[in-house]
């Protein structure tokens, strides 16, 4: 479905905020950076939950360049979170950020979380970008750590998004969806499958939220340039429009 069918970002009369939220695995920006930026810009997001952000030589420069090309700014994460990163528009007022490293399993890639608390007008929301393990047991444990971090943020509403490396019927995905609402299940829009751009056949990326956040639509945009999607990275983006209530 067309991106224009999703509600635009706005602040409602009651103080609630309608936000466009994007989750995207960018494969360390090893592919076509300009195509990647075009995809992000076309979605017009307020928030981008990035996975596999650059982590090595001059990673901050690469992250800043992607943000600038996407008309956004870097909020938190990157190498200091072992890959997850958050970008935001200038509409956001930043309250605090924290990068969290998860326990390292010898022989496996280090995982982490990029987290923040931001406000859009009177709506206050926590953010967690994650990229779970390829190993099932570790992935399940990390899902629990994501939920612990959601609780630790102490915000009335929280958005969690990322590459879960697991389909919805897997134990880690189900563990998250037990306490959080899965955007695709709550308000399906566009396409479901996020992997791979050349052959979409599985949903392993998701946007989730705590109760009280209303999903107005969530899925893979279907009107983006297919050539850009294939050139940008090895995942498809997940885009959602959500309404976050005003904080009392």
């Amino acid at each position: 479905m067309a991106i224009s069918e999703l509600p635009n970002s706005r602040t409602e009369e009651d103080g609630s905020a309608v936000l466009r939220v994007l989750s995207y695995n960018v494969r360390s920006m090893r592919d076509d950076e300009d195509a990647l930026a075009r995809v992000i810009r076309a979605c017009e997001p307020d928030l981008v939950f990035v996975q596999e952000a650059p982590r090595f030589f001059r990673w901050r420069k690469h992250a800043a360049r992607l943000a600038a090309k996407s008309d956004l700014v870097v909020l938190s994460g990157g190498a200091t979170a072992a890959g997850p990163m958050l970008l935001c528009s200038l509409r956001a007022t930043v309250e605090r950020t924290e990068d969290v490293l998860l326990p390292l399993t010898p022989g496996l890639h280090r995982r982490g979380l990029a987290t923040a608390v931001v406000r859009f007008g009177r709506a206050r929301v926590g953010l967690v970008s994650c990229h779970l393990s390829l190993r099932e047991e570790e992935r399940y444990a990390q899902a629990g750590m994501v939920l612990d971090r959601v609780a630790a943020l102490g915000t009335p509403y929280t958005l969690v998004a990322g590459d879960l490396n697991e389909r919805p019927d897997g134990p880690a995905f189900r563990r998250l969806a037990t306490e959080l609402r899965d955007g695709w299940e709550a308000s399906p829009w566009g396409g479901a499958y996020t992997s791979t751009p050349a052959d979409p056949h599985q949903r392993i990326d998701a946007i989730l939220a705590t109760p009280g956040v209303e999903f107005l639509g969530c899925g893979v945009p279907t009107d983006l340039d297919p050539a850009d999607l294939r050139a940008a990275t090895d995942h498809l983006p997940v885009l959602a429009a959500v309404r976050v209530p005003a904080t009392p």
Side-chain angles (χ1 to χ4, degrees):
M1 292 185 180
I3 293 172
S4 60
E5 296 179 11
L6 279 182
N8 291 321
S9 304
R10 62 181 184 270
T11 300
E12 306 279 28
E13 290 185 2
D14 63 359
S16 62
V18 174
L19 310 175
R20 283 196 181 188
V21 181
L22 187 70
S23 184
Y24 208 3
N25 183 318
V26 303
R27 194 159 68 162
S28 298
M29 294 170 57
R30 292 180 297 174
D31 301 290
D32 187 329
E33 186 177 304
D34 290 330
L36 178 64
R38 284 193 296 269
V39 170
I40 295 173
R41 282 200 312 272
C43 294
E44 299 182 346
D46 297 287
L47 299 164
V48 183
F49 294 69
V50 175
Q51 301 85 49
E52 289 194 35
R55 294 183 294 117
F56 300 110
F57 184 65
R58 293 183 177 174
W59 67 269
R60 287 184 174 86
K61 180 178 179 180
H62 295 308
R65 189 172 64 243
L66 176 63
K69 287 184 176 182
S70 306
D71 298 327
L72 301 165
V73 296
V74 176
L75 177 55
S76 69
T80 47
M85 183 170 69
L86 291 165
L87 307 178
C88 68
S89 71
L90 294 177
R91 186 182 173 209
T93 298
V94 182
E95 202 171 286
R96 68 178 190 270
T97 66
E98 183 179 4
D99 299 331
V100 180
L101 291 176
L102 301 181
L104 175 64
T105 299
L108 296 182
H109 172 61
R110 187 71 180 256
R111 304 284 173 172
L113 308 173
T115 78
V117 177
V118 297
R119 287 181 285 112
F120 292 86
R122 290 169 49 205
R124 182 169 177 262
V125 60
L127 314 173
V128 179
S129 179
C130 64
H131 186 187
L132 303 188
S133 175
L134 292 169
R135 181 178 290 181
E136 182 174 336
E137 290 184 3
E138 185 178 44
R139 191 164 58 237
Y140 183 80
Q142 289 171 351
M145 296 173 199
V146 168
L147 294 174
D148 290 343
R149 181 54 48 175
V150 169
L153 286 175
T155 49
Y157 309 103
T158 301
L159 295 165
V160 175
D163 177 355
L164 306 185
N165 268 320
E166 187 172 278
R167 299 179 183 184
D169 59 354
F173 202 127
R174 292 200 309 270
R175 186 173 190 177
L176 290 172
T178 297
E179 296 193 27
L180 306 173
R181 300 181 69 220
D182 176 4
W184 170 258
E185 291 293 338
S187 184
W189 167 90
Y193 299 143
T194 61
S195 176
T196 60
D199 177 29
H201 64 281
Q202 58 181 348
R203 184 164 77 95
I204 61 173
D205 303 83
I207 298 175
L208 308 104
T210 54
V213 175
E214 179 185 1
F215 279 97
L216 307 174
C218 181
V220 177
T222 58
D223 61 336
L224 295 171
D225 185 341
D228 275 351
L229 290 172
R230 290 192 298 270
T233 179
D234 62 348
H235 282 242
L236 291 172
V238 182
L239 178 64
V242 302
R243 179 180 286 109
V244 180
T247 301

